[in-house]
Amino acid sequence: NPKPIRDFSLVLMKAVAESAGKKRFTLVLGGDCSILIGIMPALKLKGRYGLIFLDAHADFYDPANSISGEVADMDLAIVTGQGPEILTNIHNLKPYVKEADVIHAGQRDQEETKKYGARDIRDTAIKCFSLADIQKKGVSKVATEVLKHINTLQTEGFWIHFDTDVLADDINPAVDYRLAGGLQFKETEELIRGLLLTGKIAGMSITIYNPKLDADGGIARNIVSSMGRAFP
């Protein structure tokens, strides 16, 4: 269904462009990660922007090898210019973000992507910090490395994409595609707070939380409280 996704992306793109044009911090609460297809071209209209992608998954499938067939597992590929032209080249803005301007943190689906033949994001110019990297080095060291890296990029700013499935499965099972393991609230808060304090963040999207899988709303309250602590 690329046409409806493109149509929606154009609506979101207009809203994000208007907010960004007023130099407001823009917060987008979405359903799934396909909302990036409306966000990143809006920023491209303003100039060169980077993307900090916090997600349990690489989201780098293409339509031929996607195990779900959903744009939500190929959105990072699309915004970096890979995939159907109808989605990758809105208003001739392809790519919406350069691979070299992307930082991916928290991935834990490497074995699955390898099994199904997705391109490994480590074979691209994307800067990667997997869940294993974060656990080995510690979140404070990784946060320092992320901040050091973004200072080497000649961008006008960055967008944070926070897919809530990057959180540990035991604290956030209200997601559409579950994987064991993940980051703790304190770890994501430290990463996000450090990024916000740079003054380089244009906005943030939060996706994938599924209220149907959170009967009493407790998971939502925990996520909201965590985001409140993350914002300085």
Side-chain angles (χ1 to χ4, degrees):
N1 60 338
K3 188 179 184 301
I5 292 171
R6 178 188 171 93
D7 290 344
F8 170 76
S9 297
L10 288 168
V11 173
L12 179 57
M13 181 180 171
K14 182 178 179 180
V16 172
E18 180 179 348
S19 178
K22 295 178 181 178
K23 296 184 178 180
R24 295 173 175 170
F25 182 90
T26 306
L27 179 64
V28 181
L29 303 180
D32 66 34
C33 300
S34 65
I35 62 172
L36 277 176
I37 302 169
I39 294 167
M40 297 313 294
L43 295 177
K44 179 70 177 287
L45 288 171
K46 291 189 64 187
R48 178 180 168 182
Y49 278 78
L51 173 63
I52 297 145
F53 197 85
L54 310 179
D55 198 315
H57 306 89
D59 286 4
F60 220 66
Y61 286 98
D62 60 44
N65 58 29
S66 167
I67 58 177
S68 71
E70 297 179 3
V71 174
D73 73 9
M74 56 187 86
D75 50 284
L76 185 55
I78 287 171
V79 298
T80 54
Q82 302 173 64
E85 190 82 356
I86 188 173
L87 297 178
T88 60
N89 201 23
I90 294 173
H91 296 338
N92 296 312
L93 291 169
K94 178 181 178 178
Y96 310 137
V97 58
K98 297 179 179 180
E99 288 182 356
D101 293 338
V102 177
I103 298 169
H104 192 304
Q107 184 193 9
R108 60 182 193 269
D109 74 336
Q110 294 95 318
E111 290 303 313
E112 190 172 84
T113 58
K114 183 178 180 181
K115 177 181 177 181
Y116 291 103
R119 187 182 177 198
D120 191 334
I121 55 174
R122 284 155 194 75
D123 294 333
T124 72
I126 295 171
K127 185 72 170 178
C128 302
F129 298 92
S130 69
L131 175 63
D133 293 331
I134 296 170
Q135 291 175 331
K136 180 179 179 180
K137 297 179 179 181
V139 69
S140 294
K141 185 172 182 179
V142 168
T144 298
E145 290 184 23
V146 169
L147 296 177
K148 183 177 179 180
H149 181 68
I150 67 173
N151 285 331
T152 69
L153 302 176
Q154 302 302 310
T155 63
E156 296 181 46
F158 293 85
W159 184 271
I160 298 174
H161 179 68
F162 175 47
D163 181 331
T164 67
D165 68 20
V166 78
L167 293 167
D169 185 67
D170 60 339
I171 61 175
N172 180 28
V175 297
D176 297 326
Y177 200 81
R178 295 176 65 178
L179 282 173
L183 297 174
Q184 298 300 310
F185 281 123
K186 286 185 178 179
E187 293 174 312
T188 57
E189 290 163 22
E190 184 170 346
L191 282 170
I192 292 170
R193 186 184 305 111
L195 291 165
L196 292 171
L197 286 170
T198 66
K200 296 181 178 182
I201 306 302
M204 178 177 178
S205 44
I206 303 176
T207 62
I208 295 299
Y209 163 77
N210 188 336
K212 293 181 180 179
L213 303 177
D214 184 16
D216 65 358
I219 297 170
R221 287 191 291 273
N222 289 338
I223 293 172
V224 170
S225 294
S226 178
M227 288 298 95
R229 292 189 297 269
F231 276 70

